Amino acid sequence: MHRRTSTVLFAVAAAIALAALSLAGTGASFAQSAPAAAIGPDPCPSAPVTLPTELPQLPQVVVDSLPRDSEGFHKLTLTARNTWYHSGRSNASRYCYTWHDARGAEHSVPPVIRVRAGDKLALDLVNRLTDGPGVHAMASTMSPGEPETKCPPMDMPGGTPARIPNGYLGHPYVTFGPTPTPSSQDTNIHMHGFLGPPQQDNVFLSTLRSPGHACLYRYVIPTAGPFNARPQPPGMDWYHSHEHGISNQQVGGGLDGTWIVDPSKGPTFTPADERIVVLRTALAANTEEQRIERAMQVMKAPSASALGAQAAHPAANVNPFDPPAWPIGMPLPSPSPAPGTTLDSCRPIVRSTPSAPDITVNGIAVPMSVTTSALYTSATVGRPQLWRILNGTANSYADIELRDSAGQAQLMQVVARDGTPVSPNNADPYALAVPMRSVELPPGGRVEFIVRPTSTKPLTVFMNTPCTGPDGTYEPPRNLVQIRPTLRGIRMAAPNVKTAVAKTSQTRAGDLVAWMHAHPEDVVRRAITFTQYLYRKNDKNAFLFFITETSKPGFTEHPFDPTFAGNERVPNNPDITVRSGTVEEWTLFNATAETHAFHIHQMVFTVLDPHNPLSQLELDTVAVHPGTFAPNRGMPDPWTYPYEKPGRVTILLDLRHMHPGTFVFHCHMLAHEDRGMMGIIRVIR
């Protein structure tokens, strides 16, 4: 992208079109969407929008146009704020990052932060959150951009540990009582997709515990350097809150934004030829958290003897890479499958449609309609456009399609996933593409594809119903954005982009797989398993969410539980320790009845499946679907706790150029991560 000297680039529409909360009607014309009324101060305002309307452009900050500090870092201050409003019978919060442009004007729509490899960014995160309506925000004792101290680590309130004997494959699991509930005023930040040293992207920190309620993060966008670390590739990434125990509430409420790495040279797209689309959860519809809470109220946890096959000791002679069918640990809702049928591994048992739009596009709630579009954008016949789509929801999955005027899915020329181009040449990131009719985006997933209209007939970016599992949440299909091509459009020269269909041997993913086959004895293999449980404690239901290395002899499932020694700012109790300079193969097993989204920080991985187009791509987040189910005849209702042969996805992690440090892997359904489905990994030399 051509860099401009101004700090902020945004359309007039962006200031008024973002963060609408609800929408009535699904016909060709739409009613005006009305935001929820604020209770008290409103630092995160929203404006009504009359639909249909043009796709809003998002405000942008070009890092190398920002002022520098004494160490040569460009300075940007983001302030975490929230607005309280009525939601049903209770109060809820919408969140935002506020920031100031070069003229001193304050904005509450999070900026697209644009960088290049080698840029230095000093990001000050200032915490001015409130923990209830009418409460004044905390006053930071630091001047924005001048924090005086390093942030301390998060506070993890513990509980009395309980050891349950009959977990997955008969191994025990441990709970520490109720899910740790941090203060709703705490927050931190994660630069999702950042490939630099983990110390620069420390998600264990707490702004609330900092004396000044602010944290300074210094990022050096990677170029080739120590340990031959790979440079940060051109692509779309994401920043968001990662405060454990409350990230679901904050990200679902809007505390997130995007950052984009532009190519340093070579063919590129101008802002006029780029479309950035951010999917978020509508604030009134946190369906996964609501589902969990409802289930906890009505379900009955089984006794230790009721699960039939589950024993109080580990099952013998189990191959962790080919585990047997085992009863799930969280009961399924009714109704059970009809006699002679079985569970659908993709479709939820309960398929109720949300009562209001539950997905927003660049802040505007889109109706659940497959015939009309609330948003539209322009295009020019024959002129390429680069589309960048982020699934920034806290818990929802999305299958993205590009449909023609007849409603048929077209082949998309996918040039990048999760911020990493198909092309290994960072100077020409659009040279190679993987043709795909549908792209599955788990929470946190990104896709970039090139659209080149061949006629004036409209195209539609469409969200199809994803696979979420029999215990998952139903997500209705809908039109997202309609593309309206014209014969005469932008007058400037079209992007000089030439894209060819990729061969696996041309990609970084293909190179890594070839290395694995040439050095099988040097590959470390692990089994990683998602599990969930319902259990009774103090006459109350509690849900547990675990991600565990089940290839480790004598494993015990446990929730995320970091411990910090002395003044250390990272945990001293990693679940997995790996060595820089190696390659690891992880088989991800889903032993539950809903889809999970595996995500690992600081790196990307490759899916090992020659029949899956994802095998030509590098990802940092992948959906792991449930397996196959059979009735559990040892239960009164054989489908309440059925047997499941776990679903699986095998990935290859390239640690050959990995920075040493400590970071995390977890389910990117943030309602699950907040409840413990996160592990700690340490890379050593």
Side-chain angles (χ1 to χ4, degrees):
M1 164 184 170
H2 174 68
R3 297 209 169 189
R4 301 185 183 180
T5 56
S6 62
T7 301
V8 185
L9 314 171
F10 59 102
V12 175
I16 62 172
L18 299 181
L21 300 180
S22 64
L23 180 67
T26 58
S29 62
F30 303 97
Q32 191 176 58
S33 59
I39 307 173
D42 190 7
C44 302
S46 60
V49 179
T50 300
L51 301 176
T53 189
E54 190 166 3
L55 175 71
Q57 297 182 42
L58 301 176
Q60 303 194 24
V61 169
V62 180
V63 163
D64 72 359
S65 70
L66 297 172
R68 296 177 185 263
D69 64 15
S70 59
E71 298 180 40
F73 283 75
H74 297 281
K75 298 190 296 181
L76 175 65
T77 298
L78 297 178
T79 301
R81 304 293 301 272
N82 60 329
T83 293
W84 287 90
Y85 66 95
H86 290 298
S87 177
R89 297 182 180 179
S90 60
N91 296 327
S93 232
R94 60 175 174 259
Y95 294 81
C96 64
Y97 290 116
T98 61
W99 54 285
H100 292 81
D101 64 27
R103 300 183 301 275
E106 186 177 57
H107 303 274
S108 60
V109 176
V112 178
I113 302 173
R114 304 198 81 114
V115 300
R116 284 184 170 138
D119 280 353
K120 296 180 178 180
L121 172 62
L123 178 60
D124 291 335
L125 178 64
V126 178
N127 184 344
R128 297 205 64 205
L129 298 175
T130 63
D131 61 1
V135 179
H136 291 290
M138 294 181 297
S140 174
T141 61
M142 303 178 184
S143 300
E146 298 177 353
E148 299 166 351
T149 185
K150 295 181 179 179
C151 274
M154 64 178 67
D155 185 25
M156 285 291 293
T160 303
R163 189 177 180 88
I164 313 299
N166 55 317
Y168 183 60
L169 301 180
H171 287 255
Y173 62 86
V174 172
T175 175
F176 296 96
T179 302
T181 304
S183 167
S184 61
Q185 286 185 276
D186 207 355
T187 193
N188 60 17
I189 201 165
H190 167 44
M191 292 292 275
H192 186 131
F194 181 66
L195 300 183
Q199 297 86 346
Q200 296 180 21
D201 186 42
N202 188 341
V203 298
F204 303 108
L205 302 183
S206 163
T207 53
L208 183 63
R209 297 187 66 211
S210 168
H213 305 310
C215 284
L216 172 65
Y217 297 82
R218 290 184 180 270
Y219 302 100
V220 179
I221 308 304
T223 58
F227 309 101
N228 297 316
R230 60 187 291 178
Q232 189 81 35
M236 181 191 206
D237 293 301
W238 190 29
Y239 60 90
H240 59 85
S241 167
H242 209 288
E243 188 65 34
H244 181 64
I246 201 170
S247 61
N248 176 54
Q249 175 181 330
Q250 293 184 349
V251 175
L255 207 56
D256 68 309
T258 62
W259 63 287
I260 290 176
V261 183
D262 288 314
S264 298
K265 57 182 179 180
T268 190
F269 288 82
T270 68
D273 294 306
E274 179 185 63
R275 298 292 183 268
I276 298 173
V277 172
V278 178
L279 307 181
R280 290 192 177 96
T281 308
L283 302 185
N286 191 348
T287 52
E288 178 64 16
E289 190 70 31
Q290 292 172 354
R291 186 186 69 80
I292 292 173
E293 293 297 334
R294 285 196 301 267
M296 287 176 62
Q297 295 172 11
V298 302
M299 290 180 177
K300 293 183 177 180
S303 65
S305 61
L307 291 181
Q310 290 196 352
H313 55 79
N317 303 318
V318 169
N319 178 357
F321 298 97
D322 186 22
W326 198 261
I328 63 173
M330 187 178 292
L332 288 176
S334 297
S336 299
T341 65
T342 188
L343 291 174
D344 187 325
S345 295
C346 263
R347 301 303 179 203
I349 294 173
V350 179
R351 303 188 189 182
S352 58
T353 300
S355 58
D358 58 335
I359 297 293
T360 68
V361 173
N362 291 6
I364 297 178
V366 293
M368 290 167 284
S369 172
V370 299
T371 58
T372 57
S373 298
L375 299 174
Y376 60 87
T377 190
S378 61
T380 304
V381 173
R383 186 183 183 97
Q385 280 185 345
L386 177 63
W387 280 71
R388 306 182 193 261
I389 299 180
L390 159 69
N391 182 355
T393 67
N395 300 289
S396 298
Y397 295 81
D399 282 358
I400 301 299
E401 298 177 1
L402 181 66
R403 294 193 167 187
D404 63 16
S405 57
Q408 299 300 308
Q410 304 298 294
L411 282 174
M412 293 179 288
Q413 299 302 311
V414 175
V415 293
R417 267 295 310 268
D418 292 355
T420 305
V422 179
S423 169
N425 182 3
N426 288 347
D428 194 2
Y430 316 114
L432 296 176
V434 177
M436 301 177 70
R437 293 192 186 276
S438 178
V439 178
E440 180 181 52
L441 287 187
R446 290 90 71 207
V447 63
E448 298 168 61
F449 55 92
I450 293 176
V451 175
R452 194 187 302 261
T454 59
S455 75
T456 58
K457 292 182 178 180
L459 300 167
T460 301
V461 179
F462 185 80
M463 176 179 158
N464 211 344
T465 300
C467 172
T468 59
D471 197 25
T473 301
Y474 177 67
E475 197 64 69
R478 71 200 73 196
N479 292 351
L480 297 178
V481 184
Q482 186 182 70
I483 305 172
R484 300 177 178 178
T486 61
L487 294 174
R488 299 176 63 183
I490 302 171
R491 294 184 178 182
M492 68 181 68
N496 183 23
V497 174
K498 297 180 180 179
T499 303
V501 175
K503 298 178 181 178
T504 301
S505 60
Q506 296 174 299
T507 65
R508 291 190 186 96
D511 287 344
L512 180 59
V513 173
W515 188 96
M516 177 198 70
H517 289 310
H519 306 84
E521 69 283 356
D522 296 327
V523 177
V524 178
R525 291 175 168 82
R526 303 179 194 268
I528 310 293
T529 305
F530 294 96
T531 53
Q532 299 174 180
Y533 298 95
L534 174 67
Y535 82 110
R536 297 285 290 177
K537 184 176 179 64
N538 299 328
D539 294 325
K540 293 183 179 180
N541 283 342
F543 275 0
L544 300 173
F545 294 79
F546 300 140
I547 182 170
T548 308
E549 183 190 358
T550 51
S551 52
K552 182 178 181 180
F555 68 84
T556 296
E557 299 169 273
H558 65 86
F560 177 68
D561 182 44
T563 60
F564 302 86
N567 295 321
E568 292 295 324
R569 299 164 73 230
V570 297
N572 63 358
N573 59 330
D575 298 292
I576 295 175
T577 299
V578 300
R579 191 171 295 276
S580 179
T582 61
V583 171
E584 296 216 358
E585 178 187 298
W586 289 14
T587 302
L588 311 174
F589 290 100
N590 184 348
T592 79
E594 65 176 317
T595 298
H596 294 284
F598 175 83
H599 171 59
I600 190 166
H601 290 205
Q602 315 308 136
M603 63 185 307
V604 291
F605 53 79
T606 295
V607 172
L608 282 177
D609 182 354
H611 304 293
N612 189 332
L614 292 180
S615 64
Q616 295 179 291
L617 305 168
E618 292 181 298
L619 315 175
D620 62 31
T621 309
V622 68
V624 186
H625 300 297
T628 56
F629 298 88
N632 184 349
R633 302 300 181 188
M635 298 290 291
D637 180 348
W639 290 108
T640 302
Y641 289 90
Y643 282 93
E644 180 184 7
K645 180 70 173 176
R648 67 167 68 192
V649 173
T650 301
I651 62 174
L652 204 57
L653 297 90
D654 188 356
L655 301 162
R656 292 175 296 175
H657 313 301
M658 189 67 196
H659 294 276
T662 302
F663 48 99
V664 295
F665 58 95
H666 58 89
C667 178
H668 217 292
M669 295 183 71
L670 297 182
H672 297 178
E673 182 261 295
D674 279 347
R675 292 173 180 269
M677 197 172 265
M678 180 157 64
I680 303 168
I681 180 171
R682 174 169 293 168
V683 179
I684 61 175
R685 298 184 187 180

